[in-house]
Amino acid sequence: MKNTFKKVMAVAAAAVMFAMVLAGCKTGTTGEGTIKIGATGPLTGSASSYGISVNNGAMLAVEEINAAGGLNGIKFSFEMKDDEADPEKVASGYDALYDGGMQISLGAVTSGA
């Protein structure tokens, strides 16, 4: 449980730091709009506890950032696709996120995927 919490916090911190880098550069944004963040992870199956924890942590971070006015006025959205810790499903999940307009990928949750 302690390791899962650390992983969730690490993902949330990484998302916030990356967002701060983007805001500092001010390239491609005008301070308005939404940046779409995506990830793949096991939301079902035997490794689902990892994916669900990361999903919940990232969603919480996005909700808190947006509730505080975003980052320099930029809001965030987050979506995670279920990959069931299967490498083939990671690729199709990433493609679906990319086709849906994902601008930042947090990657996959499990190392095998």
Side-chain angles (χ1 to χ4, degrees), residues 61-72:
V62 167
E63 288 171 10
E64 289 180 355
I65 291 167
N66 289 343
L71 187 63
N72 292 338

Side-chain angles (χ1 to χ4, degrees), residues 4 8 42-56 109:
T4 302
V8 169
L43 299 175
T44 59
S46 61
S48 64
S49 63
Y50 300 111
I52 291 169
S53 295
V54 170
N55 185 55
N56 292 344
V109 172

Side-chain angles (χ1 to χ4, degrees), residues 15-86:
V16 170
M17 286 187 284
F18 192 76
M20 290 175 17
V21 168
L22 287 177
C25 294
K26 293 195 180 212
T27 58
T29 69
T30 61
E32 300 173 0
T34 301
I35 294 178
K36 295 182 179 185
I37 303 169
T40 61
L43 299 175
T44 59
S46 61
S48 64
S49 63
Y50 300 111
I52 291 169
S53 295
V54 170
N55 185 55
N56 292 344
M59 290 294 291
L60 180 62
V62 167
E63 288 171 10
E64 289 180 355
I65 291 167
N66 289 343
L71 187 63
N72 292 338
I74 301 169
K75 301 287 181 152
F76 297 89
S77 67
F78 177 77
E79 182 179 1
M80 179 177 275
K81 294 289 185 185
D82 185 11
D83 65 18
E84 299 176 24
D86 180 342

